Amino acid sequence: MKFCSLTDIGIRREMNQDYFFASEEPVGRLPNLFIVADGMGGHKAGDFASRCTVETMAAAARSTQKTDPGEILTECVSRANEAVRTHARRYPETTGMGTTVVATVLTGAKLTTANVGDSRLYLIGGGIRQITRDHSLVQEMVRMGEMDKRSARRHPDRNIITRAVGADELVQTDIFVTMLKPGERILLCSDGLTGMVEDEEILQIVNSADDLTSKTAYLVELANKNGGKDNITVILIDPELER
């Protein structure tokens, strides 16, 4: 397995409220662990929410007695939700903070992914397929047939999410189990990438002849070139499965 990770403040933001964790080595009973979180809230609140979520999840993965990756990730998100809410109760100025999170574990060719919010995981090979489902207002409208995908990308409310770590007493985590095809690569990212770069452009960059480091850097560079309206975080993984 090879991977490259990168986060960038973007052009318009004064603070990077994204946070990530990437380990190809075992984390507790997980064989590896990759996490991207995109915080929201007032000054430093979103920054804290994303960092707290990622750090709490990594710690929970190391201490849990569970063995199933999906159950472990669900517990990790639940503990992170509790940690964020506990901090908000202790420090009222951070009330209302929250964060998206997408996390994944690779076991052989099986990928187990957890998702809350609109950070995404894609599998990229001959085509590009989004594995996670956005918990956002406009994507709910797309799923109900009230809006097409192209209009959703430009909708003024596209950044309103309907589910977040820290938002409610109990957090609902989506779990996806996917079998990778030989040659597919894994992309985790915040919406600072997907809001600025079309899926087809992502596909072309990931399938280029460049190395992982160059591909990751160019994804971030293109997001900034196209406006850089948000923080940008990218983790690109090559599982190196035999073709």
Side-chain angles (χ1 to χ4, degrees):
M1 178 191 297
K2 296 178 182 177
F3 75 91
C4 185
S5 52
L6 185 63
T7 189
D8 189 87
I9 195 171
I11 294 174
R12 305 286 185 85
R13 301 290 188 180
E14 296 181 355
M15 174 184 295
N16 192 345
Q17 294 191 329
D18 286 2
Y19 205 79
F20 72 89
F21 177 91
S23 176
E24 62 181 325
E25 301 299 326
V27 180
R29 299 187 178 188
L30 296 176
N32 45 71
L33 180 60
F34 301 90
I35 310 171
V36 169
D38 178 1
M40 60 183 186
H43 184 62
K44 290 199 173 181
D47 173 58
F48 176 85
S50 61
R51 186 177 74 254
C52 176
T53 291
V54 170
E55 292 177 349
T56 301
M57 287 181 66
R62 294 185 183 101
S63 64
T64 184
Q65 297 304 305
K66 291 183 169 63
T67 56
D68 177 76
E71 293 181 0
I72 292 174
L73 290 177
T74 299
E75 179 180 335
C76 289
V77 175
S78 179
R79 287 203 204 175
N81 188 70
E82 182 179 349
V84 171
R85 290 182 63 81
T86 296
H87 185 87
R89 287 193 294 269
R90 190 172 299 160
Y91 301 96
E93 66 272 18
T94 64
T95 298
M97 69 176 172
T99 184
T100 71
V101 70
V102 58
T104 200
V105 178
L106 182 63
T107 309
K110 185 175 80 170
L111 193 69
T112 305
T113 304
N115 183 59
V116 178
D118 63 356
S119 292
R120 294 179 178 178
L121 184 141
Y122 290 92
L123 292 181
I124 302 170
I128 180 169
R129 51 181 176 142
Q130 181 181 337
I131 300 303
T132 52
R133 288 179 48 173
D134 294 356
H135 304 128
S136 68
L137 181 64
V138 296
Q139 287 303 318
E140 293 292 345
M141 296 171 71
V142 170
R143 282 193 283 270
M144 294 173 64
E146 298 176 1
M147 184 184 303
D148 59 53
K149 290 184 177 180
R150 183 169 294 276
S151 299
R153 286 186 62 84
R154 295 168 176 79
H155 197 280
D157 294 332
R158 63 187 178 277
N159 293 325
I160 297 177
I161 59 175
T162 56
R163 199 186 299 181
V165 175
D168 297 302
E169 195 66 35
L170 297 176
V171 61
Q172 182 180 351
T173 305
D174 286 352
I175 298 292
F176 305 88
V177 178
T178 315
M179 297 305 296
L180 270 67
K181 300 174 184 176
E184 283 189 316
R185 295 177 180 87
I186 305 160
L187 173 67
L188 295 87
C189 60
S190 61
D191 69 340
L193 176 70
T194 54
M196 294 287 102
V197 183
E198 298 280 355
D199 285 4
E200 285 302 313
E201 293 177 297
I202 294 173
L203 173 64
Q204 291 175 9
I205 293 168
V206 174
N207 281 342
S208 70
D210 294 331
D211 59 30
L212 278 183
T213 300
S214 298
K215 293 174 183 180
T216 303
Y218 189 57
L219 287 169
V220 172
E221 180 183 333
L222 186 57
N224 279 325
K225 182 179 178 181
N226 289 348
K229 295 180 180 180
D230 203 350
N231 310 142
I232 309 149
T233 300
V234 173
I235 302 177
L236 185 58
I237 306 164
D238 185 351
E240 298 186 307
L241 297 179
E242 293 185 5
R243 296 176 185 271

